[in-house]
Amino acid sequence: MKPRILVVDDEKPILSAIQRSLRDDFDVTVCSSIQEASEIIKAKDLDVVISDYALGSEITGAGFLESLSREKPYIARIMLTGYSSSQIAEEAINKAGVFRFITKPWDDEHLRMVLYSAFKRSSIIRQNIKLVEDIKDKNNKIELTASMIERELKLSAKKIERSKEDISVFQDNLNSINEMLENISSARNFSELVSSTLSGISNIVECDMSCIAELATSTNEFLVYSTNSERKINIARSGSISDLINNMKSGNYSPLILSSIYASQDLKENLFGTKDINSMLVYPITLVTPDDPCKVFMVVLARKNKKIFDREETLRLKDVSLSIRVALERVITTNHLQTALKQWENTFNSILDPLFLVSKDYVVLRVNNAVEKILGKTSTELMGQKCYEVFRGSDNICQECLVRKTKENKSFEYGDVSPCFDRNNISASSYPVFEEDGSINSVIQYNNDKSAEFKLYKQLIQSEKLAALGMLASNIAHEINNPLGGVLAYSQILKKEVPSTDQIYSDLDEIEKACLRGKNIISNLLDFSRDSSNDGKQLVSLDRVVKDTIPLLNICLKGHKLNVNIEEKDIKVNGNLGELQQVVFNLITNAVHASGDRGEITINVSSNDGNANISVKDNGVGIPHELLSKIFEPFFTTKDKGKGTGLGLFVCNGIIQEHGGRINVLSKVGEGTEFMIELPLWRE
């Protein structure tokens, strides 16, 4: 339904212009006099009234709006005038309480925005008025209950002697009841309600101690609330509490008076923490809550003296039980609604992808934190605006708008690319929210950010390429091994046929050494390219890990100064040789990239305190302190685009953690970086 607007102006061209401008979005009624406007206001339910200041009568537009504010305060009032007088503005705001003051000539778009804001304000005021009426209705019910109690007490009072003392006692009780009803009706939470109830009952019924008990069937607990404490009792572990509950159920939750004979010592201690009790009065109150159709509370009073509770005192509790029941239902329902609202908000904001709710008029009703993060604006700034203005900065509905399609088809809609964001990696799905009559109330649009999926997909392609490259390297190594083996064999045969003093012998010796070196490099390459993920762990020497990895990086290390310090030989750990080689390979490669063409790289192998250590240090550019906490995250890289996947250190960290170790890093910008690996040292 369109917002209902009344425009009052004695200039018909103004009325005609406003009506033409607003008729598509608003239900506009126009008139030229206050008398005519008054008749329309009586006959039609309006949301906003726009009035000119000068209406050609004794009463100004401000006076007319002032009277309207008294009669129908929920109607938003807007002053539209060609005067720019501060006196008129002051009169309109202070006396008439206008929502906005707009001067002629006006801007149509601005006028629409003001009208939408005024309509929302009118709706909120209507809701507040309804809420106040509901509260008044409930208070009237409570007052009616109090009136009934008062009448019943007065009838009972006629049966006793009309002495001044009795009348005084009766009046005191009545005042106590009224005070109690007032306090429990204004209680804001359960704790205040318990305190007000117990304090009020102690003035109505003589008792030494009192408490309110709650039967929590979901947790099988008996919750005991007193003015300053709260206790939980496991029903299954307390026979006296179980007996009390069974007696209540069998008696159809009727009041129960227990003398010291029938009240067990265990029950007294559970409820009041003492055995020094002569009698107890248990008054059950059952109510319906959102979670339990038969929620049971018990008001329990206790006396230490010999006087046992009687039927008259039970009737006094009966007089106030309805008010207590209403107050309990109100507090519990309010808490339930607040909890449900908080859970809904938390659920909405816990969705990591952008999610928003818009009205059928494309007005943003709710956005989650992901939308705020992408747009850089708070939900307060976004709500109430048109979605196409917020997301696209446009004055028109998006061409591929899923909200529009959902409204037209009244069904789920999907788009590979969300029209709301300037990013191709976000898809969108929109879902209609229906009213009871089948009309669409609003539309939820879920936008799926597929950036991580794209990154994983690209990494999968890269992994497949690397696997193919490893297989190719393995095949090439096998092919090279065959002729290399022949060259090595012939060089060794020729060495036997040539004197050792001959120059040819020296040349053959160099050929043999080169062949053996090439064979060693190919062997290391085969070991490195082989899939070691399924290999079991075994004793691995760390100096072998380093020495077998370095030859694979000879070309990469050209121009760099490499220092290898192995403090003691044969430092062994229980691990996977191929995986540890992969870690060292990645760390040395990163050091080469970080230290430039003429950098210095130092590798140390040592052991101490039961740990085997490998460190790779460079004198490169270093890593900024604010980035150190992110370097082990997947897809994070400081390298230029196309020079790194952001998975090297992430994989290295995972491998070392699987070996029961850890990687530490020290870095200073402009001085260099050192990665230190700690692994459990193998001991016999």
Side-chain angles (χ1 to χ4, degrees):
M1 183 176 66
K2 295 180 181 179
R4 294 153 297 191
I5 312 297
L6 172 62
V7 183
V8 186
D9 197 299
D10 58 352
E11 297 183 28
K12 293 186 178 181
I14 297 292
L15 297 176
S16 178
I18 293 178
Q19 191 169 33
R20 287 198 306 271
S21 173
L22 302 179
R23 62 189 176 190
D24 291 337
D25 301 317
F26 301 90
D27 179 1
V28 182
T29 304
V30 299
C31 65
S32 57
S33 68
I34 293 177
Q35 181 178 1
E36 186 179 355
S38 300
E39 295 299 325
I40 293 173
I41 291 171
K42 290 179 182 180
K44 189 171 183 178
D45 189 14
L46 299 172
D47 299 304
V48 183
V49 172
I50 304 173
S51 176
D52 188 12
Y53 181 80
L55 294 174
S57 63
E58 295 180 357
I59 302 176
T60 65
F64 163 63
L65 293 180
E66 180 184 2
S67 64
L68 177 62
S69 68
R70 291 192 299 269
E71 296 174 5
K72 296 190 177 184
Y74 55 85
I75 297 179
R77 299 166 298 284
I78 297 174
M79 176 65 70
L80 179 66
T81 179
Y83 299 104
S84 57
S85 167
S86 59
Q87 182 178 358
I88 293 176
E90 182 179 352
E91 179 185 0
I93 294 172
N94 294 338
K95 292 185 177 182
V98 298
F99 176 68
R100 287 288 187 277
F101 187 86
I102 300 176
T103 59
K104 301 176 184 177
W106 65 89
D107 178 71
D108 285 350
E109 189 61 29
H110 176 253
L111 180 59
R112 287 192 184 89
M113 292 178 64
V114 170
L115 286 174
Y116 276 121
S117 299
F119 170 66
K120 290 180 182 178
R121 181 175 183 272
S122 173
S123 299
I124 292 172
I125 294 175
R126 286 175 186 267
Q127 293 173 2
N128 290 341
I129 292 174
K130 186 177 184 303
L131 182 59
V132 170
E133 290 175 351
D134 290 342
I135 293 174
K136 287 182 178 179
D137 182 57
K138 290 184 178 179
N139 287 337
N140 289 336
K141 290 180 180 179
I142 294 176
E143 290 175 1
L144 178 61
T145 302
S147 176
M148 294 172 62
I149 294 171
E150 185 177 354
R151 285 197 302 271
E152 186 171 346
L153 289 175
K154 287 181 178 179
L155 290 174
S156 300
K158 291 179 181 179
K159 299 178 182 179
I160 62 176
E161 295 180 354
R162 294 287 182 176
S163 66
K164 292 183 179 180
E165 182 179 354
D166 291 340
I167 294 175
S168 176
V169 171
F170 172 77
Q171 189 62 47
D172 288 342
N173 285 336
L174 186 58
N175 292 337
S176 297
I177 290 174
N178 290 332
E179 182 181 358
M180 175 185 171
L181 294 178
E182 182 179 349
N183 290 335
I184 66 175
S185 64
S186 61
R188 294 170 295 180
N189 52 53
F190 188 77
S191 178
E192 288 186 5
L193 178 59
V194 169
S195 178
S196 299
T197 301
L198 296 181
S199 175
I201 287 177
S202 64
N203 295 325
I204 297 172
V205 178
E206 178 190 350
C207 62
D208 298 308
M209 292 169 284
S210 60
C211 68
I212 293 179
E214 175 188 357
L215 176 57
T217 54
S218 59
T219 58
N220 200 34
E221 290 179 324
F222 198 68
L223 309 179
V224 180
Y225 307 98
S226 58
T227 303
N228 298 316
S229 65
E230 176 183 338
R231 297 189 303 280
K232 295 181 179 180
I233 303 171
N234 190 305
I235 297 175
R237 297 178 182 177
S238 175
S240 62
I241 296 296
S242 298
D243 292 341
L244 175 63
I245 294 172
N246 292 331
N247 287 337
M248 283 285 152
K249 289 181 179 179
S250 61
N252 198 24
Y253 296 104
S254 298
L256 189 63
I257 298 175
L258 300 174
S259 64
S260 58
I261 299 175
Y262 298 102
S264 67
Q265 304 298 325
D266 179 56
L267 180 62
K268 297 174 184 177
E269 287 189 345
N270 280 330
L271 293 177
F272 298 104
T274 179
K275 298 178 181 178
D276 186 19
I277 293 174
N278 186 56
S279 67
M280 291 192 299
L281 171 58
V282 183
Y283 197 100
I285 298 175
T286 60
L287 57 145
V288 178
T289 69
D291 297 324
D292 193 341
C294 185
K295 187 74 173 177
V296 179
F297 285 87
M298 301 179 191
V299 178
V300 186
L301 310 180
R303 282 188 185 142
K304 295 181 179 181
N305 56 37
K306 298 294 184 180
K307 184 180 178 182
I308 298 176
F309 290 101
D310 55 29
R311 184 175 180 276
E312 182 182 345
E313 291 167 322
T314 303
L315 292 176
R316 291 181 192 172
L317 283 184
K318 180 182 178 182
D319 293 338
V320 297
S321 63
L322 178 58
S323 298
I324 296 174
R325 177 175 176 270
V326 171
L328 281 170
E329 286 181 342
R330 176 177 56 81
V331 169
I332 292 174
T333 302
T334 301
N335 290 341
H336 180 80
L337 291 175
Q338 291 174 345
T339 301
L341 178 60
K342 189 65 177 177
Q343 289 175 344
W344 185 85
E345 290 180 347
N346 291 340
T347 301
F348 197 76
N349 287 323
S350 296
I351 298 173
L352 300 180
D353 289 320
L355 180 68
F356 57 85
L357 176 70
V358 298
S359 71
K360 58 185 179 181
D361 298 322
Y362 305 97
V363 176
V364 178
L365 301 177
R366 172 77 65 176
V367 299
N368 69 348
N369 291 341
V371 175
E372 293 181 352
K373 184 176 180 181
I374 290 178
L375 298 181
K377 296 182 179 180
T378 65
S379 59
T380 305
E381 295 175 294
L382 299 174
M383 289 189 297
Q385 299 189 54
K386 297 289 187 179
C387 59
Y388 47 82
E389 296 175 346
V390 169
F391 294 107
R392 304 297 298 180
S394 173
D395 295 331
N396 300 309
I397 300 171
C398 303
Q399 185 175 1
E400 298 297 327
C401 179
L402 294 181
V403 175
R404 184 187 62 193
K405 293 180 180 179
T406 299
K407 288 173 53 182
E408 292 173 352
N409 301 328
K410 292 188 176 182
S411 64
F412 158 81
E413 294 292 337
Y414 173 79
D416 289 327
V417 178
S418 174
C420 299
F421 301 96
D422 291 324
R423 292 161 62 178
N424 293 329
N425 56 356
I426 298 181
S427 63
S429 304
S430 61
Y431 306 86
V433 179
F434 293 103
E435 295 279 14
E436 292 183 0
D437 60 1
S439 62
I440 291 182
N441 170 271
S442 53
V443 177
I444 297 174
Q445 182 162 316
Y446 168 72
N447 304 274
N448 183 18
D449 189 347
K450 299 183 289 186
S451 302
E453 295 178 21
F454 287 153
K455 287 182 179 179
L456 289 173
Y457 176 70
K458 292 178 181 178
Q459 183 56 31
L460 177 61
I461 294 175
Q462 185 68 14
S463 298
E464 293 293 337
K465 289 181 180 179
L466 291 175
L469 186 60
M471 184 175 295
L472 178 62
S474 176
N475 292 334
I476 293 174
H478 281 295
E479 293 298 326
I480 294 176
N481 254 341
N482 293 329
L484 193 62
V487 173
L488 178 61
Y490 281 114
S491 65
Q492 291 173 343
I493 292 173
L494 290 173
K495 280 178 65 178
K496 293 178 182 180
E497 297 176 357
V498 177
S500 60
T501 57
D502 197 322
Q503 179 61 40
I504 295 177
Y505 185 89
S506 298
D507 295 339
L508 291 172
D509 190 52
E510 288 298 322
I511 292 173
E512 181 184 12
K513 290 179 180 178
C515 289
L516 291 173
R517 187 166 60 253
K519 179 183 178 182
N520 186 46
I521 291 174
I522 290 172
S523 177
N524 289 340
L525 182 61
L526 287 171
D527 288 340
F528 186 78
S529 63
R530 181 173 58 84
D531 182 8
S532 60
S533 60
N534 294 323
D535 292 353
K537 291 183 180 180
Q538 57 186 352
L539 292 183
V540 177
S541 175
L542 292 189
D543 55 337
R544 180 190 169 191
V545 171
V546 174
K547 290 178 179 179
D548 287 355
T549 304
I550 290 175
L552 302 176
L553 295 164
N554 280 339
I555 296 178
C556 183
L557 288 167
K558 277 186 178 181
H560 290 73
K561 182 180 179 181
L562 179 65
N563 305 312
V564 180
N565 304 316
I566 300 178
E567 295 184 4
E568 56 180 295
K569 293 185 178 181
D570 214 23
I571 299 175
K572 292 183 178 180
V573 297
N574 185 29
N576 185 304
L577 175 61
E579 291 182 348
L580 293 177
Q581 271 190 285
Q582 182 180 351
V583 173
V584 175
F585 185 95
N586 279 334
L587 294 182
I588 296 176
T589 302
N590 287 347
V592 170
H593 292 162
S595 57
D597 296 334
R598 299 289 176 181
E600 182 177 352
I601 299 172
T602 303
I603 302 174
N604 292 310
V605 180
S606 62
S607 65
N608 65 319
D609 299 330
N611 290 322
N613 308 308
I614 302 177
S615 69
V616 178
K617 183 178 181 181
D618 65 69
N619 62 345
V621 295
I623 304 172
H625 177 74
E626 62 271 15
L627 300 181
L628 285 176
S629 61
K630 301 180 179 180
I631 61 175
F632 293 110
E633 295 178 2
F635 305 114
F636 179 81
T637 180
T638 59
K639 298 176 183 177
D640 295 336
K641 187 174 182 180
K643 294 185 177 181
T645 63
L647 288 172
L649 290 177
F650 171 70
V651 172
C652 290
N653 190 41
I655 291 174
I656 296 304
Q657 287 182 353
E658 286 181 0
H659 282 72
R662 62 179 180 177
I663 301 181
N664 297 318
V665 58
L666 293 175
S667 185
K668 288 186 178 180
V669 175
E671 297 184 16
T673 303
E674 181 178 10
F675 285 90
M676 297 158 288
I677 301 173
E678 292 183 5
L679 292 168
L681 187 65
W682 179 79
R683 296 187 183 278
E684 297 183 3

